């Protein structure tokens, strides 16, 4: 007997095989659950092939579908998407089912899943809680998983997009048409079922705060703030200053203080653009010339004019990128006592040493004994009193 014949005989008679169990169905009442998941796809945006993350949300009772596309899908993007999804359906549900994604999950899986406090607070804002299916139980999220193949082969197939805004606008229009079409597997139109489910949804808050992400940046020597893969312009007077960057869905706000705020239109991650506002361009003929010294170099010479010869040699023979080297030297000049710095720089110049890390160690050796010592206590307590 051949091996295939033997294995076929074992399968027919259940030898060494686990008994098959009939698959069941999940039944959901109106307004109880919304399933959310993401899937990677590829499409053409502005003439370039781009990898995208399709985020989808499906109401389990009516099968109403809403999806959007993002360059990446992080916690910020998740909150933006769920806010748009709940606004699209006009209400909230009791729970949102996820697939144990690290974007939401702090630890645990399935019934033991504990969400990140930030995401748990976000759910409380809309009156729902996050739930995760058990590991390996993909059928539990079948409502949302079913739609990704249809999105890939129906919406994305053969389409091109001029921008991310155009992509998501067409996706919203496609969802409108999809939700108004008869579906054979449910023998109904999702929008007609939604007319029943709408009555069981929780109302949205009267005021929905805008989702934002805060970061701190230092304005570079060209007057730009780097965020993700793009750079945003600020006034030239802000160079070297620390600013707060507030990132929302559509805009970037760069704040120096309460009276000085710059607003840019947000550029999607991965576009590698330099965005310059007209008021941030210097007048013609007054731009920074390449022959002008760096701002750090000017600050060093103002604080310690004796370092002029060392700076000239550093620019010629220094191995480190010049801007980084000047920033490190300026920090050394500002943080350490003047005399040890001048002494160490003189010795370094004599031996042709331009490694600033070694220069800093030389300075520390010179101040190790007397820089941190307190004045000796002279006299007795009675005399001091």
């Amino acid at each position: 007997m051949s091996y295939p014949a033997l294995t076929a005989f074992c399968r027919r008679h259940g030898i060494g095989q686990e008994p098959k169990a009939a698959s069941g169905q999940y039944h959901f009442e109106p307004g109880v659950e919304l399933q959310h998941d993401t899937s990677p796809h590829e499409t053409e945006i502005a003439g370039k092939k781009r990898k995208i993350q399709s985020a989808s949300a499906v109401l389990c009772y009516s099968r109403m579908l809403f999806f959007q596309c993002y360059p990446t899908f992080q916690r910020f993007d998740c909150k933006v998407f769920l806010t748009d999804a709940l606004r699209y359906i006009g209400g909230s549900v009791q729970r949102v089912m996820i697939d144990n994604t690290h974007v939401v999950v702090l630890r645990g899986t399935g019934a033991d899943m504990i969400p990140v406090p930030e995401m748990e607070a976000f759910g409380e804002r809309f009156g729902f809680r996050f739930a995760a299916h058990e590991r390996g139980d993909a059928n539990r999220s079948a409502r949302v998983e079913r739609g990704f193949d249809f999105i890939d082969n129906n919406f994305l197939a053969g389409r091109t997009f001029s921008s991310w805004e155009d992509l998501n606008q067409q996706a919203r229009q496609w969802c409108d048409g999809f939700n108004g079409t008869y579906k054979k597997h449910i023998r109904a139109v999702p929008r007609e079922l939604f007319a029943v489910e709408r009555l069981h949804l929780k109302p949205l808050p009267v005021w929905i705060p805008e989702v934002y992400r805060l970061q701190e940046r230092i304005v570079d020597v060209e007057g730009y703030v780097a965020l993700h893969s793009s750079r945003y312009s600020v006034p030239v007077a802000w160079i070297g200053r620390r600013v707060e960057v507030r990132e929302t869905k559509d805009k970037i706000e760069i704040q120096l203080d309460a009276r000085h705020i710059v607003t840019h239109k947000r550029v999607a991650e991965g576009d590698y653009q330099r965005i310059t506002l007209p008021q941030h361009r210097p007048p013609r003929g007054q731009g920074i010339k390449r022959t002008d010294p760096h701002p750090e170099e000017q600050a060093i010479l103002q604080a310690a004019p004796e370092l002029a010869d060392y700076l000239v040699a550093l620019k010629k023979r220094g191995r480190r990128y010049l801007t980084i080297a000047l920033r490190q030297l300026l920090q050394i000049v500002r943080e350490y006592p003047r005399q040890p710095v001048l002494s160490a720089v003189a010795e370094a110049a004599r031996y042709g040493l331009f490694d600033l890390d070694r220069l800093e160690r030389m300075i520390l050796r010179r101040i190790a004994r007397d820089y941190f010592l307190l004045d000796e206590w002279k006299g007795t307590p009675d005399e001091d009193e």
Side-chain angles (χ1 to χ4, degrees):
M1 180 182 295
S2 64
Y3 180 76
L6 176 62
T7 55
F9 175 83
C10 293
R11 285 195 300 271
R12 284 195 303 269
H13 294 276
I15 301 174
Q17 303 290 324
E18 295 182 1
K20 294 183 178 180
S23 60
Q25 293 183 348
Y26 289 101
H27 178 71
F28 300 96
E29 295 296 332
V32 173
E33 182 172 302
L34 177 142
Q35 293 183 1
H36 161 58
D37 200 1
T38 60
S39 178
H41 298 284
E42 190 175 86
T43 190
E44 184 176 325
I45 302 177
K48 297 181 180 180
K49 282 289 185 181
R50 298 290 299 269
K51 292 182 178 180
I52 65 174
Q53 292 289 334
S54 297
S56 177
V58 178
L59 285 172
C60 292
Y61 175 79
S62 62
R63 313 297 177 92
M64 281 280 290
L65 169 69
F66 177 78
F67 82 95
Q68 295 281 268
C69 301
Y70 303 89
T72 60
F73 199 76
Q74 302 173 356
R75 199 162 293 152
F76 168 77
D77 304 296
C78 181
K79 292 193 288 185
V80 168
F81 169 74
L82 289 177
T83 301
D84 290 344
L86 295 177
R87 280 175 168 162
Y88 180 81
I89 64 178
S92 183
V93 295
Q94 296 180 18
R95 64 174 177 264
V96 173
M97 178 62 61
I98 58 172
D99 65 341
N100 297 291
T101 172
H102 69 280
V103 174
V104 176
V105 176
L106 176 64
R107 62 178 181 271
T109 59
D112 299 327
M113 186 274 295
I114 298 177
V116 176
E118 176 185 352
M119 300 304 294
E120 186 176 13
F122 173 79
E124 291 176 354
R125 176 186 303 166
F126 293 98
F128 69 82
R129 63 179 179 85
F130 286 102
H133 63 70
E134 298 297 333
R135 184 172 295 177
D137 186 13
N139 290 333
R140 182 62 180 83
S141 59
R143 295 283 201 278
V144 68
E145 294 285 357
R146 182 188 183 99
F148 284 125
D149 183 70
F150 193 61
I151 291 172
D152 193 17
N153 295 315
N154 185 284
F155 172 71
L156 295 176
R159 294 177 187 248
T160 58
F161 310 96
S162 60
S163 63
W164 287 98
E165 292 80 5
D166 179 39
L167 168 59
N168 286 324
Q169 183 62 32
Q170 291 193 41
R172 183 182 288 265
Q173 295 173 358
W174 184 85
C175 288
D176 293 339
F178 174 87
N179 294 325
T181 305
Y182 179 82
K183 302 296 181 293
K184 293 182 180 179
H185 61 285
I186 60 174
R187 297 183 177 87
V189 177
R191 194 167 292 281
E192 294 177 354
L193 294 178
F194 179 68
V196 177
E197 188 168 21
R198 182 195 294 265
L199 304 176
H200 299 270
L201 296 177
K202 298 179 180 180
L204 296 177
V206 177
W207 178 71
I208 301 177
E210 190 174 25
V211 179
Y212 66 91
R213 178 166 52 187
L214 287 179
Q215 303 185 48
E216 285 191 352
R217 292 290 188 273
I218 294 179
V219 182
D220 63 20
V221 295
E222 295 183 357
Y224 288 86
V225 172
L227 184 66
H228 306 310
S229 58
S230 299
R231 301 172 69 195
Y232 300 87
S233 67
V234 296
V236 178
W238 295 13
I239 291 178
R241 305 285 296 276
R242 186 179 298 274
V243 295
E244 183 180 75
V245 181
R246 188 175 188 266
E247 178 184 8
T248 64
K249 176 185 175 182
D250 300 316
K251 62 184 179 180
I252 301 293
E253 291 183 350
I254 306 173
Q255 180 176 345
L256 179 64
D257 52 42
R259 297 184 178 181
H260 299 85
I261 301 177
V262 174
T263 303
H264 288 271
K265 181 180 178 182
R266 182 174 180 263
V267 176
E269 297 182 32
D271 283 359
Y272 300 98
Q273 295 187 26
R274 178 184 291 200
I275 300 92
T276 306
L277 297 181
Q279 59 269 30
H280 297 159
R281 295 194 181 115
R284 185 178 296 274
Q286 298 183 15
I288 300 176
K289 301 179 181 179
R290 294 186 178 181
T291 56
D292 293 343
H294 289 261
E296 289 84 358
E297 183 178 355
Q298 294 178 351
I300 293 172
L301 293 176
Q302 290 176 0
E306 298 86 350
L307 303 184
D309 295 337
Y310 186 77
L311 277 175
V312 174
L314 177 65
K315 291 191 291 185
K316 291 182 179 179
R317 302 176 58 182
R319 296 182 179 180
R320 182 170 294 188
Y321 184 60
L322 180 59
T323 303
I324 299 177
L326 291 176
R327 288 177 181 174
Q328 184 177 0
L329 184 58
L330 177 60
Q331 184 178 5
I332 290 174
V333 171
R334 287 176 173 175
E335 291 185 355
Y336 297 121
R338 180 183 182 84
Q339 193 56 41
V341 170
L342 296 180
S343 174
V345 169
E347 183 179 355
R350 185 164 59 252
Y351 291 103
L353 176 63
F354 300 100
D355 185 346
L356 297 183
D357 293 330
R358 291 188 62 186
L359 175 64
E360 188 170 9
R361 291 197 294 270
M362 293 167 59
I363 297 172
L364 289 173
R365 283 199 297 268
R366 282 169 165 77
I367 65 178
R369 295 184 178 180
D370 56 353
Y371 185 51
F372 298 104
L373 292 179
L374 300 175
D375 293 337
E376 294 183 359
W377 191 10
K378 298 180 180 180
T380 62
D382 295 336
E383 294 174 350
D384 290 341
E385 291 176 358

